[in-house]
Amino acid sequence: LYYVLDKPRISDRQYDALFQELKSLERDHPELITPASPTQRVGEQPRQGAVKAEHGKPMFSLDNTYSQEELAEFDRRVRDGLPQKARFQYVAEPKLDGASVEIIYQNSVLYRGITRGDGRVGEDVTENIRTIRSLPLTIDESRPLTLRGEVVILSRDLQAINQERSAQGEEPFANPRNAASGSLRLMDPRLAAARPLRVYLYDLVETYYGTHSAMLDAIEKLGLPTHGLHEVCRDLDALFRYIDAFRERKRDLPYETDGVVVKVDELNHREILGYTARFPRWAIAFKYAAEQATTEILEIDCDVGRTGALTPVAITTPVFLSGTTVSRASLHNIDYVNELQLGIGDRVTIEKAGEIIPQVVKVVDVAHREPWKPPARCPACGSRVERSKNEVALRCPNPACPGRLKAAIRYFAHRSAMDIDHLGRALVEQLVDHGFIRDIADVFLLPDKRSELLELERMGEKSVDNLITAIEQARGERSFQQLLTALGIPLVGAVAAGIVAKKYRSLDRLLKVPDDELREALAEMHGIGPKIAESIAGFLADPKQRRVLEKLVELGVRTVDVDPSPTVGMGPLQGLSFCITGVLSRPRREIEGDISRAAGQVHDRVKKGTTYLVAGEKVGASKLNTAKKHGTKVISESELNAMLAGVR
Ligand code: IVH
């Protein structure tokens, strides 16, 4: 409900409480743990190197087209390849930009995940695939399913990951595709679990359904994650209409797409059309040209980051680009500006990277002027900027710089941190300039200043109320991990914050830990290196920072944390008894072991009170008769598997 349909029926808090309850049940009764338990998504053991796995059927790539004409040619080839009177239709669907995988279910249970690799042999990434929360560990279908789809990272999640990487001094991922494929192949499933991977399935190798569209509908019904955006198109015109509409629609999707895939719907027609060495003849990708616009540079400004780093930004004549009016475009860093030899008045091409942040990609027309020179002073506070040897960035060294404060507030309020909606760039600007906010804790003073806030620019009753509600939520409903992330401690992103939060559970408690004890504890934490440890300890020892933290506590900032409530437990087969007979897919002893681990009883023959007879192949008639006599229900091996997995 939460990950696939986006319609949770319980709150995160209730979910966490249930999860903790399950964990404590399993702690007390380890014999009840089944591989399909949600607690078992994340394995403890690193993968054993890159283990190869062969695909049952090769995974093909797709040919690309970039224009209506090319697509019309594809349509002609399809028509020529099919018998004259053949009636057929197309399906159009998004081309997701991630890493392709094969995911296999056997006996209703998620069994295996394999990367595409070279199309014939990939890498076994089952352990990492299991960490994808949108992917059910068990399904209500006992036939084998060999599914294919795309593992992606949502655009907003990528932003947070990249923030984390920058905080750790690591290179951010250039695009969601690299992020997805890098994460999928991580050796430690615990690290993979920290990456919010999603998967969207778009293919089933088994031909249970006559058409692609029927297959997509069927797997969606099973609760498997699909993109849900396919449409049947009867002819070329309908395809063009889909492609046109999708140009707009894709902007609102939470993940990146790089075009539309067109497929022949009927599986029997696909067989007739066949494959070239690399591509199917029944499918093709339509790719949109990157949307670009030409505009003029009016000014080059520098944005001040919370660490003081200056990032050059081009202020341009407003132009319309992929759905929004753009008047600022990123220039990455000073070296990039120098490389382009950029100057005021130049005409440049801008492009949206990942459809979000526009950036300058090239100069088309040079104005007669001097190339731009980086500022010698911080544009926000006038301090002399510094450039350290190994860095591309220029820095403002002034810790009290209002530009740095503004960036720190934006970081504090960011989705991946305290998640305070309505505290956008323009408002932060005003709040700092008018002296409402002098440090991050001051955000929590704002609800008491309703009438003053109403006097700010573009702040009506409604916006002020929205802001206050958002701040009140942040005051009482964020996790300690979010709060720790939000502080912007150098090198500490969400992952490191999570590790520390788990140990100390609240800011109040963390502040009471003596310095030497803290340093000792940090040194022993798995996942906290010496540099991060030093940064955290140094931050907490700094009297100025401590004052801000104490102020947060005084202002009533309370984080939520779920207490594991120990309760007495049962296995999924508690109170049930089973007798096994016939030829099964694995040794009987193994199955019996699974039943008792799930708290079920094993009877060696059907007797009065035996709940189920698990019948494999070639079951004798006498067994079935005895079962009938005692009212014992006869079930298949896959029904048993589903019960073992906790599905009834
Ligand atoms: S169909 C033989 N459908 O694009 C059929 N592929 O450029 C091949 N991709 O390797 C796959 N979205 O990773 C298909 N809706 C979609 C897709 C899709 C993304 C990827 C896939 C494939 C690559 C080919």
Side-chain angles (χ1 to χ4, degrees):
L1 287 170
Y2 182 97
Y3 285 100
V4 182
L5 302 180
D6 212 4
K7 283 191 192 125
R9 235 183 256 156
I10 58 173
S11 69
D12 289 7
R13 190 124 191 222
Q14 284 169 303
Y15 176 88
D16 288 341
L18 285 169
F19 195 81
Q20 291 302 337
E21 185 178 340
L22 176 61
K23 271 205 340 216
S24 83
L25 286 169
E26 290 180 342
R27 199 160 41 236
D28 295 343
H29 300 274
E31 74 281 5
L32 305 187
I33 300 173
T34 72
S37 165
T39 62
Q40 303 302 302
R41 279 201 181 262
V42 186
E44 301 273 313
Q45 297 301 321
R47 297 200 284 135
Q48 305 293 310
V51 177
K52 299 257 178 264
E54 198 168 333
H55 299 290
K57 288 249 174 75
M59 286 178 82
F60 283 89
S61 185
L62 289 169
D63 202 0
N64 292 325
T65 53
Y66 295 88
S67 67
Q68 294 207 345
E69 293 74 49
E70 284 178 314
L71 194 60
E73 271 167 41
F74 166 77
D75 176 57
R76 218 166 299 130
R77 287 198 300 274
V78 169
R79 280 170 201 286
D80 290 347
L82 290 176
Q84 276 231 307
K85 285 189 296 252
R87 290 174 60 85
F88 73 97
Q89 56 190 21
Y90 292 111
V91 174
E93 62 185 46
K95 185 168 192 303
L96 288 87
D97 200 7
S100 49
V101 280
E102 176 165 283
I103 291 172
I104 305 172
Y105 283 85
Q106 258 180 21
N107 297 322
S108 305
V109 176
L110 174 58
Y111 165 69
R112 211 149 197 223
I114 309 171
T115 62
R116 176 172 182 276
D118 63 7
R120 200 180 56 80
V121 177
E123 205 175 298
D124 186 326
V125 287
T126 309
E127 288 292 302
N128 292 351
I129 287 291
R130 285 175 61 88
T131 67
I132 302 179
R133 307 284 278 273
S134 59
L135 201 61
L137 294 174
T138 61
I139 51 172
D140 199 9
E141 163 65 88
S142 53
R143 292 178 293 182
L145 296 185
T146 307
L147 297 149
R148 286 166 180 185
E150 203 80 353
V151 169
V152 302
I153 288 189
L154 303 189
S155 315
R156 63 171 145 87
D157 291 332
L158 181 65
Q159 261 187 33
I161 290 175
N162 276 345
Q163 250 186 19
E164 170 85 23
R165 288 174 76 85
S166 312
Q168 307 262 6
E170 286 170 56
E171 189 72 16
F173 287 115
N175 54 50
R177 188 172 351 105
N178 293 0
S181 103
S183 307
L184 195 57
R185 301 183 53 224
L186 283 167
M187 282 299 159
D188 187 340
R190 286 172 300 189
L191 294 180
R195 299 273 174 82
L197 294 172
R198 309 268 170 149
V199 65
Y200 296 94
L201 301 169
Y202 49 65
D203 206 6
L204 173 67
V205 174
E206 288 81 10
T207 51
Y208 302 142
Y209 309 94
T211 60
H212 182 69
S213 46
M215 178 279 293
L216 285 175
D217 294 340
I219 64 173
E220 190 176 331
K221 275 219 183 74
L222 285 174
L224 291 164
T226 58
H227 48 67
L229 296 169
H230 65 282
E231 262 169 42
V232 167
C233 297
R234 301 209 172 273
D235 52 26
L236 204 50
D237 277 341
L239 285 177
F240 291 152
R241 280 196 299 276
Y242 182 94
I243 287 170
D244 247 7
F246 193 71
R247 201 192 301 274
E248 298 300 317
R249 206 164 162 193
K250 71 188 172 81
R251 291 194 189 114
D252 300 326
L253 297 178
Y255 44 75
E256 284 294 314
T257 56
D258 62 342
V260 168
V261 185
V262 173
K263 300 173 178 175
V264 171
D265 197 22
E266 296 81 2
L267 303 192
N268 55 342
H269 289 339
R270 289 187 181 184
E271 216 166 299
I272 298 172
L273 291 163
Y275 298 81
T276 69
R278 285 170 53 217
F279 310 124
R281 290 203 182 86
W282 45 263
I284 201 152
F286 179 93
K287 294 207 170 174
Y288 300 96
E291 283 176 69
Q292 296 187 328
T294 312
T295 184
E296 187 187 325
I297 300 213
L298 300 175
E299 216 179 303
I300 296 177
D301 265 2
C302 273
D303 252 359
V304 188
R306 74 196 155 85
T307 59
L310 303 189
T311 315
V313 193
I315 311 297
T316 67
T317 317
V319 278
F320 194 71
L321 178 63
S322 324
T324 55
T325 304
V326 171
S327 54
R328 290 165 64 88
S330 169
L331 291 166
H332 308 290
N333 54 52
I334 308 280
D335 285 358
Y336 186 73
V337 186
N338 289 340
E339 233 167 76
L340 291 179
Q341 300 205 330
L342 217 56
I344 312 296
D346 287 357
R347 287 193 72 76
V348 291
T349 303
I350 59 172
E351 192 177 291
K352 277 197 183 173
E355 301 288 322
I356 317 165
I357 319 147
Q359 52 189 28
V360 173
V361 289
K362 68 169 189 262
V363 180
V364 277
D365 212 347
V366 180
H368 296 283
R369 45 70 198 154
E370 288 283 288
W372 178 74
K373 285 219 178 51
R377 292 185 175 278
C378 169
C381 70
S383 307
R384 275 207 164 278
V385 297
E386 295 171 356
R387 181 168 192 166
S388 51
K389 274 195 205 84
N390 317 322
E391 271 191 338
V392 236
L394 291 176
R395 265 175 212 291
C396 165
N398 172 15
C401 167
R404 290 176 63 171
L405 175 60
K406 287 171 189 170
I409 306 287
R410 288 199 301 270
Y411 187 84
F412 186 72
H414 191 268
R415 244 194 97 105
S416 60
M418 291 300 273
D419 193 10
I420 309 178
D421 233 354
H422 308 285
L423 194 53
R425 182 181 272 274
L427 179 57
V428 170
E429 201 72 24
Q430 292 193 70
L431 290 170
V432 172
D433 290 345
H434 288 79
F436 282 92
I437 295 187
R438 296 198 168 80
D439 58 46
I440 50 173
D442 285 348
V443 168
F444 295 101
L445 291 173
L446 296 176
D448 294 336
K449 302 193 171 156
R450 194 169 181 282
S451 53
E452 287 117 294
L453 288 174
L454 279 168
E455 283 169 23
L456 292 177
E457 257 171 66
R458 273 169 305 184
M459 289 297 279
E461 299 267 346
K462 192 149 181 242
S463 5
V464 171
D465 289 339
N466 285 341
L467 175 68
I468 291 179
T469 313
I471 294 174
E472 290 309 351
Q473 276 169 2
R475 198 196 303 266
E477 294 173 23
R478 299 294 172 259
S479 67
F480 184 34
Q481 177 188 18
Q482 283 176 292
L483 177 58
L484 265 181
T485 310
L487 300 178
I489 304 172
L491 307 182
V492 180
V495 174
I499 297 169
V500 178
K502 201 163 171 191
K503 164 110 183 151
Y504 293 108
R505 315 252 305 274
S506 78
L507 184 55
D508 215 10
R509 260 171 277 193
L510 179 62
L511 285 170
K512 289 196 183 109
V513 183
D515 182 62
D516 48 347
E517 200 177 293
L518 176 68
R519 284 174 192 270
E520 219 168 281
L522 288 170
E524 274 171 17
M525 279 181 207
H526 179 74
I528 303 283
K531 279 193 194 145
I532 301 180
E534 176 52 43
S535 173
I536 297 171
F539 187 89
L540 285 163
D542 178 350
K544 227 183 104 222
Q545 304 290 8
R546 274 196 94 85
R547 264 199 304 283
V548 176
L549 300 183
E550 280 154 9
K551 196 161 143 192
L552 284 169
V553 177
E554 279 156 28
L555 288 172
V557 177
R558 296 280 175 271
T559 53
V560 293
D561 133 326
V562 194
D563 265 339
S565 50
T567 22
V568 194
M570 304 189 304
L573 304 187
Q574 169 95 17
L576 305 176
S577 53
F578 297 80
C579 173
I580 301 174
T581 186
V583 182
L584 297 146
S585 72
R586 40 190 197 128
R588 182 172 302 190
R589 290 286 281 280
E590 217 177 279
I591 301 179
E592 289 175 354
D594 283 354
I595 293 175
S596 25
R597 268 191 294 283
Q601 279 187 357
V602 180
H603 293 173
D604 51 7
R605 55 185 181 84
V606 175
K607 51 189 180 190
K608 195 167 167 246
T610 306
T611 340
Y612 293 108
L613 175 66
V614 183
E617 269 159 44
K618 302 191 188 132
V619 181
S622 76
K623 285 258 179 175
L624 293 174
N625 280 336
T626 325
K628 206 168 181 180
K629 199 173 90 199
H630 293 299
T632 299
K633 203 175 161 212
V634 181
I635 59 170
S636 67
E637 185 181 351
S638 57
E639 280 173 290
L640 171 68
N641 284 336
M643 289 170 75
L644 280 168
V647 187
R648 254 192 247 177

